[in-house]
Amino acid sequence: MEIAVGKEYPFVEDTLGKKVKAGTGLSVSCLTCKRVAALDIAEMVKRLGPDHSAMHWGLIKIVYCHECRAAGRDDRNLQFTNHAMTPEMRKGWTPCP
C-alpha cells in the first residue's frame, strides 16, 4: 500500500480557522476546580478571527475559569484537549468497509 503525501502534510491545526476547516473541536479543563467545558470554535473565530492561535500558549491568554476567578483562585490553571472528527461528523465515511 502506498501513502500519498500531498501539500497538506504534515496536518497541522494551529489556528482556530484550521480547526473549523478540519471539523475538530476543543475542550478546556480547569486543573484547580476540575470543571470541564467544550469550546465553541465557530464562535471563537467570529470574535477572534480565523488566524488566532489554537495552541495552548495562544488560548491561555483569552480563556480562564470563571468559577476560580470569582473565588479568587488561579483562573489560568487550564488544560486544553483536542477532539477528532467523529464518524457522524464525517457524514458516514469510515476507513473500514
Side-chain angles (χ1 to χ4, degrees), residues 71-82:
R73 297 186 296 256
D74 180 9
D75 61 1
R76 305 277 182 172
N77 188 19
L78 306 174
Q79 172 181 306
F80 297 93
T81 304
N82 285 300

Side-chain angles (χ1 to χ4, degrees), residues 29-62:
S29 303
C30 178
L31 301 176
T32 303
C33 71
K34 309 298 184 215
R35 293 188 193 301
V36 178
L39 298 176
D40 185 343
I41 304 300
E43 183 61 32
M44 292 176 76
V45 167
K46 286 180 191 175
R47 292 179 184 206
L48 304 168
D51 294 329
H52 192 278
S53 176
M55 305 299 284
H56 179 89
W57 49 267
L59 295 172
I60 199 72
K61 296 174 186 176
I62 59 166

